[in-house]
């Protein structure tokens, strides 16, 4: 089996492919590691794809287009060490019957864990308490400490991350309103705490967490009008994609002091030091680390599927066409 890895040389490849995982991959066949420090172009991928059975990709890898596939005489599997493959593979890949797998499910577990950590940290006022302790204070009279128990939660979009988050919050006796126009009510049957609702209902919750994919339909979806529906004193969390939320409208709400916010994604990354979002004590910020910083398990999940592919078994992380169509682009 001939395998091409398009993740360029450097720190990114070293974190995704430490020595033990390089050796594991190389035990599966003849592996070609691109000898470049920058991302390949589509033309460069086309030049290298001939005779390759398995293409292993990462962030910044070129899109597998119809033009690339014209030179891909043996390609049978695209294995992506990231989550979404919407911008990586084209419809032509599915038309050609090539299997596509990614670490989406594992990344979703980590992202849901991070979202849960943000929710608990903010409700329990951990950042404020830590800040006060650092200043030598002990009195908590000026800090509002809340609980997740019995809280109403709204999920804007469900997806894989939202499903994982439901597992985390369900033991807290929460009531969850889920807005997802692609979801069937029966898809929530395993979660007695959750109900499929409209967007307005989800946004009216005490904790609102965004998990929609970034698509043409969702960019700017949470504008000033939608954000005005978030209740006073609520917690608004976004670990999905920044572009779903109108940032100016969000800043305006924060300036008004209407609700608190916890963010892991931003319109401009890295977030500039002078960014308005950095100026609020009511905002908990993390630098887009929800699903992407714990990297070897992502690679391990992909290697597991390459081994399954080699044995002719069902692929655990396969991304079917219908899922690809709704993934973040």
């Amino acid at each position: 089996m001939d395998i091409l890895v398009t993740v360029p040389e450097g720190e990114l490849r070293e974190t995704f492919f430490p020595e033990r995982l390089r050796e594991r991959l190389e035990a599966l066949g003849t592996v070609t590691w691109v000898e470049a420090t920058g991302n390949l172009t589509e033309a460069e991928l086309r030049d290298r794809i001939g005779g390759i059975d398995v293409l292993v990709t990462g962030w910044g890898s070129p899109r597998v287009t119809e033009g690339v596939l014209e030179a891909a005489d043996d390609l049978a599997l695209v294995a992506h060490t990231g989550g979404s493959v919407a911008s990586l593979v084209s419809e032509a890949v599915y038309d050609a019957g090539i299997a596509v797998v990614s670490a989406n499910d594992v990344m979703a577990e980590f992202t849901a864990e991070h979202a849960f950590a943000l929710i608990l940290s903010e409700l329990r006022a951990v950042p404020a308490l830590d800040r006060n302790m650092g200043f030598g204070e002990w009195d908590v009279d000026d800090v509002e400490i809340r609980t997740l128990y019995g809280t109403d939660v709204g999920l804007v979009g469900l997806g894989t991350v939202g499903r994982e988050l439901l597992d985390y919050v369900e033991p807290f006796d929460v009531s969850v309103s889920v807005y997802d126009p692609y979801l069937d009510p029966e898809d929530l049957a395993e979660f007695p705490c959750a109900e499929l609702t409209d967007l307005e209902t989800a946004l009216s919750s005490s904790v609102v967490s965004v998990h929609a994919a970034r698509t043409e339909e969702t960019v700017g979806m949470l504008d000033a009008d939608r954000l005005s529906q978030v209740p006073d004193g609520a917690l608004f969390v976004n670990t999905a994609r920044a572009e779903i939320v109108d940032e100016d409208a969000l800043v305006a709400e924060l300036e008004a002091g209407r609700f608190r916010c916890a963010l892991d994604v931003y319109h401009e990354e890295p977030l500039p030091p002078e960014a308005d979002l950095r100026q609020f004590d009511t905002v908990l910020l993390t630098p887009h680390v929800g699903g992407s910083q714990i990297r070897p398990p992502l690679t391990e999940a992909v290697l597991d599927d390459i081994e399954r592919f080699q044995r002719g078994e069902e692929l655990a992380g396969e991304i079917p066409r219908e899922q690809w169509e709704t993934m973040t682009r």
Side-chain angles (χ1 to χ4, degrees):
M1 184 165 64
D2 290 313
I3 304 168
L4 173 64
V5 181
T6 60
V7 181
E9 293 179 312
E11 181 180 359
L12 186 66
R13 190 159 84 188
E14 290 173 1
T15 57
F16 272 98
F17 291 93
E19 184 176 357
R20 65 181 178 85
L21 296 183
R22 287 176 62 96
E23 292 175 353
R24 181 180 168 190
L25 180 60
E26 289 172 346
L28 298 178
T30 302
V31 180
T32 300
W33 303 86
V34 295
E35 297 179 354
T37 56
N39 294 321
L40 294 182
T41 65
E42 184 180 321
E44 289 170 332
L45 176 59
R46 179 186 169 96
D47 290 341
R48 291 167 169 80
I49 200 70
I52 296 298
D53 302 295
V54 177
L55 177 65
V56 179
T57 63
W59 300 326
S61 291
R63 186 173 177 83
V64 185
T65 62
E66 185 174 0
V68 170
L69 291 180
E70 290 175 354
D73 44 359
D74 294 323
L75 186 63
L77 175 68
V78 176
H80 184 50
T81 55
S84 174
V85 296
S87 60
L88 176 72
V89 301
S90 63
E91 192 168 14
V93 172
Y94 287 97
D95 290 342
I98 297 169
V100 179
V101 299
S102 85
N104 185 67
D105 288 353
V106 178
M107 185 173 284
E109 292 175 357
F110 298 155
T111 304
E113 178 187 40
H114 192 74
F116 185 60
L118 293 177
I119 291 169
L120 285 186
S121 294
E122 268 299 298
L123 290 179
R124 298 294 299 185
V126 172
L129 293 172
D130 174 69
R131 187 164 52 248
N132 287 356
M133 292 289 285
F135 286 129
E137 299 180 11
W138 185 262
D139 192 353
V140 298
D141 290 344
D142 62 338
V143 178
E144 182 183 9
I145 301 175
R146 294 181 287 174
T147 180
L148 181 59
Y149 280 100
T151 299
D152 53 306
V153 176
L155 301 185
V156 179
L158 187 66
T160 313
V161 176
R163 291 179 185 278
E164 294 289 341
L165 185 59
L166 280 175
D167 282 330
Y168 280 110
V169 302
E170 189 169 33
F172 288 79
D173 193 27
V174 294
S175 175
V176 184
S177 299
V178 178
Y179 168 72
D180 192 321
Y182 298 100
L183 203 63
D184 188 292
E186 294 183 0
D187 294 334
L188 293 175
E190 62 182 296
F191 301 105
C193 67
E195 179 184 7
L196 193 61
T197 66
D198 56 24
L199 179 56
E200 182 176 1
T201 301
L203 288 173
S204 66
S205 305
S206 298
V207 176
V208 177
S209 191
V210 181
H211 300 287
R214 182 188 62 209
T215 64
E216 291 183 4
E217 182 182 3
T218 62
V219 168
M221 177 176 69
L222 300 184
D223 54 15
D225 179 59
R226 293 298 189 187
L227 290 177
S228 70
Q229 298 169 18
V230 177
D232 291 357
L235 171 61
F236 180 85
V237 181
N238 189 4
T239 56
R241 286 296 187 270
E243 294 81 3
I244 297 169
V245 183
D246 183 325
E247 187 172 285
D248 290 339
L250 179 60
V251 168
E253 292 286 6
L254 295 171
E255 287 176 339
R258 283 214 318 107
F259 54 75
R260 303 187 69 86
C261 192
L263 304 174
D264 187 50
V265 290
Y266 311 93
H267 284 254
E268 182 178 355
E269 297 184 357
L271 186 66
E274 69 280 4
D276 290 336
L277 289 171
R278 291 184 183 268
Q279 314 308 316
F280 301 101
D281 290 338
T282 54
V283 180
L284 175 59
L285 306 176
T286 56
H288 203 159
V289 295
S292 63
Q293 295 303 304
I294 307 172
R295 293 171 178 174
L298 305 178
T299 306
E300 289 170 353
V302 168
L303 295 183
D304 287 346
D305 262 341
I306 295 175
E307 291 174 348
R308 293 187 186 97
F309 171 77
Q310 193 175 48
R311 297 191 298 263
E313 298 174 359
E314 183 179 354
L315 305 176
E318 186 163 13
I319 307 296
R321 186 193 295 252
E322 55 270 23
Q323 183 178 3
W324 166 79
E325 290 173 345
T326 61
M327 281 183 137
T328 288
R329 280 166 164 72

